[in-house]
Amino acid sequence: MCWDYDDYYDESGTDPDLTDLDTGSDSSSQCSEDSSPSEAPGEEVVGDYGGETYIPDKQPVAKRVRTDKGTDIGIALAIERSGRRKKSLSLIVTVPIDILLEIFGFLEPVDLLHLFHAHKAFRKVLSSNHAVSVWKAARVNRGGVPDCMPGLSEVEWADLLFGGSDCQECARRTVWEIDFGMRRRVCQPCLNENLVCKSAFSFEFSEYDPIILDLIPFSSIGVEDHAYSDCKLFWSDDIVKMAKELEVYLKPGAEQALEDFKQSRKKYVDSDSNHIAVCDAWVANDRAQQSLRADELRSQNTTLFQARLVDLGHDADDVERMFDHHHYGVLDKEFTEARWKRLIPKVEHKLAQLQEEWRLEKQREVTSIRESKLLTMYHKYVRPLPQGIVPPPQDFLKLCDVAEFIKSPPTADTKSDVQPCDAFAEKIPDLCAHYMHKKKLELTRLLALPTDAVQDTTALQSQGIDAPDEMLMQLATSVFQCTYPRSFPLITWDKVQYHQGSSSHSQRMASQSSYALMMSISPCTFSVSQRGVAAARSLLSLVGLDAQTTTATAMDDLQCRFFCSNCSPKPENGGSYRMAMNWRQGVFHYVENQNSSHKEPRWKLLSIGQLFVIQSSPAPEYPAATEEVWRCNKCNVYHGDPTTKVIVINHMQSHGITTATEGIDFSYDQGLIEKPPPAPKFFVTPQTRKPSKPGTTQKSKSSTGSVYRCQHCNGSDRTFVLEGVKQHLKFKHKIMFVLEGPDFCKIK
């Protein structure tokens, strides 16, 4: 409700208190209909006056005099209590109205709204016609807020613009868009539910005259359905209300009044379009300005907050880093001491957490850099060495001094973090020597076990042996094997030290790829090859040598050849042949053929004449020049990454060597070539036909010879001849040394 100006003054001409305002009956278009719904003429208006109640237009009721006599104690208590009276703003409503209106003129619309909802007295004043100038001044103070939309009071207009972000229909929060055409702040779901398209009016409101749509405003936002983008949309409640208003003018004799009403309403609707554009433009500009001011204030507050944290002793770089990606409560509000006292404990706690996270992150980063540097240095040193005597990289990193350095706190300088790595290079030779001594000692203890004992280096006990026996490991009967499946026999320590683990291919890949793969390769464990020892003992017995004293080198010097008596001669070109094996080839032959025909080793020594025939035939090159197993002995270029023989020979020119000698200037990687060369064929029955050319022989065998299948190609029906399946396994599966059974099988 609103009041006339004369109601603000009594007959004496003095300004009354706000609580003494009369409740007039006059209304104005600038007043909201629900501005004071709880007030009625003659109603007692209660003001907060320290608990006292004031009744308008009535004399205060005198207090009843106490009949009992007061005491000195009661008086003293009353005086004491009156001296501790709390401060209160309740008397502000007693300030003269003209002064209040003058004060209100310096506020903004949102401040006036707060006052409007704070007290009935303020609600009455701000709803009156005399407060219109105050609202206009507030709009100017806010920054050129547009004039009220037609049909809205100043209070309603301010509430629409600044009264919060809740939907006026369903109270949904964070509704920022205002539909100025509808004079409402409504969420999109409510718009979709309540808006009616002009083309659908006749279906949804068939009982109403379509002229209604020309008399009410339409939406300036619309619905989400793009099918209605070109159609005017109206609020369903507005349609119903306008239909009720028109009912008044449908009486007989009200034709002219109806026409005047329609014209005024059309003029009212038409005046909206320009004003809506002005309002939309102001909202867009105001949001941009508010965002800019908020950013400036946030930046200012952040700078001030950072300065205070630095003054408290925190590191300036840490404080700046903390605020790089988050405000941590320092928002675009006025920065007061109260906010400072409330935020500083939380921010300091968060800063301490972040500093610990940054410390751990820096530690992990420096640790990784140090490990990478140390592993690069370690790999460079051990690359030329036989792989069997190279300790695993993790053993190097676990050394006491090395591990302590890796985990030590980082310094301020990245260069200083890795500079001490070079000092640990001198530890690598001692580590390799200790590892090789440990390996030899384990093998010595294995050889000292009884023949029937089955034990490997992982579970080996001391056996009372404290030093490796070099002579024992060089005996021809010292045959070992890696515990990894499909491992070849390793004759003496000379072969053990070059053994590269479960897969030579994986070792090569580790040296070429990440250190993670290099670290993942575990060292091998070894055991005595019982079949290998049995084969060596039988060969030594055949040539009359002592198995307890004969070394592998002594057996090599004999240059004897043997036939396996367990194998029958194989036919070829009308004749038959047997494999003329040296003693190493014989050991491999017996270990690989673990079938029923080779339950025990049986050999036949070749005669001098037969041996002369074998020696008179040129031996094929082994390993082949095309195999990538060759490396330079003058530098480390091809160590860990061998290549073909031709490339290595050409590389020798960089060392000034024009005629390179195999075994001196370059050699093959013995870790990759663990098998001895293939044994030559000795024809016990001469051939009656000339051998076919390699191309024709292979072609004829493909139609009539044996057929094989790869065991690693699961589900494949592809078949090969013998040489074809070997080449397939070598290039497709990177298996350098293939075995029948585990790698390929004969199907015909």
Side-chain angles (χ1 to χ4, degrees):
M1 296 183 180
C2 302
W3 300 264
D4 294 334
Y5 186 78
D6 295 338
D7 294 345
Y8 286 91
Y9 301 93
D10 56 12
E11 295 178 356
S12 62
T14 59
D15 292 341
D17 292 342
L18 291 180
T19 54
D20 293 336
L21 288 174
D22 293 335
T23 55
S25 59
D26 296 339
S27 61
S28 171
S29 62
Q30 296 294 335
C31 300
S32 174
E33 294 180 0
D34 61 346
S35 60
S36 62
S38 63
E39 299 166 7
E43 180 185 4
E44 294 182 356
V45 181
V46 180
D48 296 333
Y49 283 76
E52 300 176 4
T53 303
Y54 288 79
I55 303 176
D57 299 332
K58 293 183 181 181
Q59 295 296 329
V61 179
K63 292 184 178 180
R64 187 177 60 182
V65 180
R66 293 181 58 181
T67 58
D68 56 334
K69 296 180 180 181
T71 62
D72 294 339
I73 298 177
I75 295 173
L77 289 174
I79 294 173
E80 182 181 356
R81 289 173 182 172
S82 63
R84 293 184 301 176
R85 192 171 187 176
K86 294 182 179 180
K87 296 180 180 180
S88 173
L89 294 176
S90 60
L91 294 178
I92 194 172
V93 294
T94 64
V95 176
I97 297 174
D98 287 346
I99 297 178
L100 282 178
L101 292 177
E102 187 70 21
I103 296 173
F104 291 169
F106 293 97
L107 302 180
E108 293 187 2
V110 66
D111 303 320
L112 296 181
L113 279 176
H114 292 159
L115 292 172
F116 183 84
H117 295 292
H119 198 279
K120 292 181 180 179
F122 291 148
R123 189 181 183 92
K124 289 180 181 180
V125 173
L126 293 174
S127 299
S128 68
N129 288 337
H130 304 291
V132 172
S133 60
V134 174
W135 288 101
K136 290 182 178 180
R139 287 194 276 111
V140 174
N141 297 338
R142 179 60 175 78
V145 179
D147 294 336
C148 295
M149 295 289 293
L152 296 181
S153 68
E154 288 284 355
V155 177
E156 292 171 336
W157 180 238
D159 188 64
L160 179 63
L161 294 178
F162 309 105
S165 59
D166 294 350
C167 175
Q168 295 175 343
E169 289 294 317
C170 67
R172 185 190 298 267
R173 295 183 178 275
T174 63
V175 180
W176 307 113
E177 199 76 20
I178 299 176
D179 193 328
F180 289 106
M182 307 297 304
R183 278 82 163 169
R184 289 177 175 89
R185 184 190 295 270
V186 188
C187 64
Q188 195 64 56
C190 290
L191 286 174
N192 297 340
E193 182 179 354
N194 292 280
L195 290 181
V196 178
C197 182
K198 184 176 182 179
S199 60
F201 176 82
S202 58
F203 298 100
E204 297 191 27
F205 298 96
S206 57
E207 68 277 16
Y208 294 154
D209 189 345
I211 193 64
I212 291 176
L213 301 183
D214 296 332
L215 309 180
I216 58 176
F218 52 88
S219 173
S220 61
I221 297 180
V223 296
E224 293 179 323
D225 192 347
H226 297 287
Y228 297 100
S229 58
D230 297 331
C231 180
K232 288 184 177 181
L233 299 165
F234 302 86
W235 193 258
S236 57
D237 286 350
D238 290 349
I239 296 175
V240 175
K241 289 180 180 179
M242 181 53 62
K244 292 181 179 179
E245 289 188 40
L246 285 177
E247 290 179 358
V248 179
Y249 300 97
L250 296 180
K251 299 177 181 179
E255 290 79 4
Q256 185 59 41
L258 175 61
E259 187 63 27
D260 293 342
F261 176 75
K262 290 181 179 180
Q263 293 301 322
S264 65
R265 289 296 303 180
K266 289 181 179 179
K267 184 177 180 182
Y268 161 75
V269 172
D270 293 340
S271 66
D272 275 359
S273 58
N274 293 332
H275 197 59
I276 289 173
V278 173
C279 294
D280 287 335
W282 177 84
V283 168
N285 180 69
D286 183 72
R287 287 178 179 172
Q289 293 296 326
Q290 291 293 328
S291 177
L292 180 61
R293 284 194 292 269
D295 291 341
E296 293 176 352
L297 185 57
R298 185 182 295 111
S299 176
Q300 177 183 347
N301 288 346
T302 301
T303 302
L304 179 59
F305 208 102
Q306 290 178 353
R308 291 203 176 189
L309 288 174
V310 174
D311 291 340
L312 289 175
H314 296 287
D315 184 75
D317 293 336
D318 289 346
V319 172
E320 182 179 0
R321 182 180 179 183
M322 176 184 184
F323 285 91
D324 279 346
H325 305 292
H326 200 277
H327 53 76
Y328 297 103
V330 183
L331 302 174
D332 50 347
K333 298 179 181 178
E334 183 180 357
F335 192 78
T336 62
E337 287 298 327
R339 291 191 64 221
W340 163 257
K341 292 179 181 179
R342 185 176 69 254
L343 287 176
I344 187 60
K346 299 179 181 179
V347 175
E348 284 188 314
H349 178 68
K350 184 62 179 179
L351 178 58
Q353 289 181 337
L354 290 175
Q355 286 174 331
E356 180 62 16
E357 292 177 6
W358 297 334
R359 186 191 68 81
L360 294 176
E361 180 183 355
K362 180 65 174 179
Q363 182 68 62
R364 289 191 294 268
E365 179 184 351
V366 171
T367 297
S368 177
I369 294 174
R370 288 170 176 171
E371 286 183 350
S372 178
K373 174 74 173 177
L374 289 169
L375 287 174
T376 300
M377 179 181 66
Y378 178 78
H379 181 64
K380 182 178 180 181
Y381 179 87
V382 303
R383 188 168 53 178
L385 302 178
Q387 294 301 308
I389 65 171
V390 173
Q394 53 266 34
D395 286 3
F396 174 61
L397 299 182
K398 288 179 181 178
L399 289 177
C400 182
D401 295 344
V402 177
E404 184 178 350
F405 163 70
I406 291 174
K407 297 179 180 179
S408 62
T411 62
D413 185 15
T414 305
K415 185 178 180 180
S416 301
D417 285 331
V418 298
Q419 189 173 9
C421 291
D422 297 333
F424 293 102
E426 61 186 18
K427 293 182 175 293
I428 300 178
D430 293 338
L431 176 67
C432 293
H434 176 74
Y435 184 78
M436 182 172 64
H437 180 274
K438 177 184 175 183
K439 206 99 168 181
K440 288 182 176 181
L441 181 59
E442 291 173 349
L443 297 178
T444 300
R445 291 172 177 173
L446 276 176
L447 294 173
L449 290 173
T451 308
D452 57 348
V454 179
Q455 217 168 10
D456 59 36
T457 53
T458 59
L460 194 63
Q461 301 299 321
S462 173
Q463 303 296 329
I465 301 175
D466 298 326
D469 189 338
E470 299 285 350
M471 185 63 185
L472 181 62
M473 289 186 292
Q474 295 298 333
L475 295 180
T477 54
S478 298
V479 184
F480 307 94
Q481 64 182 11
C482 178
T483 54
Y484 186 78
R486 299 191 300 111
S487 176
F488 301 114
L490 304 171
I491 302 175
T492 73
W493 165 255
D494 294 338
K495 286 299 181 180
V496 172
Q497 66 176 335
Y498 286 102
H499 182 64
Q500 295 189 357
S502 60
S503 172
S504 58
H505 175 68
S506 64
Q507 290 281 350
R508 292 175 63 187
M509 292 299 295
S511 63
Q512 300 172 19
S513 59
S514 66
Y515 289 108
L517 180 58
M518 181 180 178
M519 295 286 288
S520 66
I521 299 176
S522 58
C524 294
T525 57
F526 299 94
S527 62
V528 174
S529 174
Q530 299 298 335
R531 289 183 67 87
V533 172
R537 287 180 178 275
S538 63
L539 291 168
L540 288 169
S541 175
L542 184 60
V543 296
L545 296 177
D546 186 2
Q548 301 294 328
T549 59
T550 306
T551 64
T553 304
M555 280 293 289
D556 292 335
D557 293 339
L558 290 179
Q559 298 186 358
C560 296
R561 293 280 174 170
F562 307 89
F563 293 142
C564 176
S565 300
N566 294 321
C567 296
S568 302
K570 297 181 180 180
E572 183 177 305
N573 297 324
S576 61
Y577 69 91
R578 305 181 78 169
M579 304 303 296
M581 297 174 283
N582 60 28
W583 79 279
R584 292 180 183 268
Q585 294 166 343
V587 171
F588 269 77
H589 174 78
Y590 182 69
V591 171
E592 291 177 353
N593 291 275
Q594 300 185 20
N595 47 42
S596 58
S597 62
H598 290 73
K599 292 183 179 181
E600 60 180 19
R602 294 189 303 120
W603 314 98
K604 180 181 179 181
L605 183 64
L606 270 68
S607 64
I608 297 177
Q610 292 172 327
L611 187 61
F612 177 78
V613 173
I614 295 296
Q615 293 176 346
S616 61
S617 301
E621 184 181 29
Y622 185 81
T626 55
E627 292 192 51
E628 295 182 349
V629 296
W630 301 91
R631 61 186 185 182
C632 175
N633 291 341
K634 302 297 183 181
C635 65
N636 299 333
V637 174
Y638 297 108
H639 287 264
D641 186 20
T643 184
T644 61
K645 190 174 183 178
V646 175
I647 294 178
V648 173
I649 292 176
N650 293 334
H651 164 75
M652 299 308 300
Q653 296 179 3
S654 63
H655 298 289
I657 300 174
T658 55
T659 306
T661 304
E662 182 179 345
I664 299 177
D665 300 319
F666 68 95
S667 60
Y668 65 87
D669 189 342
Q670 296 187 48
L672 298 178
I673 306 297
E674 293 184 327
K675 292 185 68 174
K681 299 176 182 179
F682 183 86
F683 282 87
V684 293
T685 303
Q687 303 178 82
T688 59
R689 299 190 300 271
K690 291 183 179 181
S692 303
K693 294 182 180 180
T696 57
T697 302
Q698 196 169 14
K699 185 175 180 181
S700 61
K701 284 186 178 181
S702 63
S703 57
T704 61
S706 300
V707 180
Y708 300 87
R709 181 172 293 158
C710 176
Q711 295 283 64
H712 297 277
C713 294
N714 296 328
S716 175
D717 295 332
R718 184 180 179 185
T719 58
F720 304 85
V721 296
L722 180 59
E723 188 62 29
V725 74
K726 289 182 179 180
Q727 294 297 320
H728 166 78
L729 288 165
K730 176 181 176 181
F731 293 104
K732 177 67 181 295
H733 301 289
K734 307 300 182 182
I735 300 176
M736 303 296 296
F737 310 108
V738 298
L739 293 176
E740 184 175 356
D743 297 321
F744 66 94
C745 62
K746 183 177 180 180
I747 61 176
K748 185 174 71 172

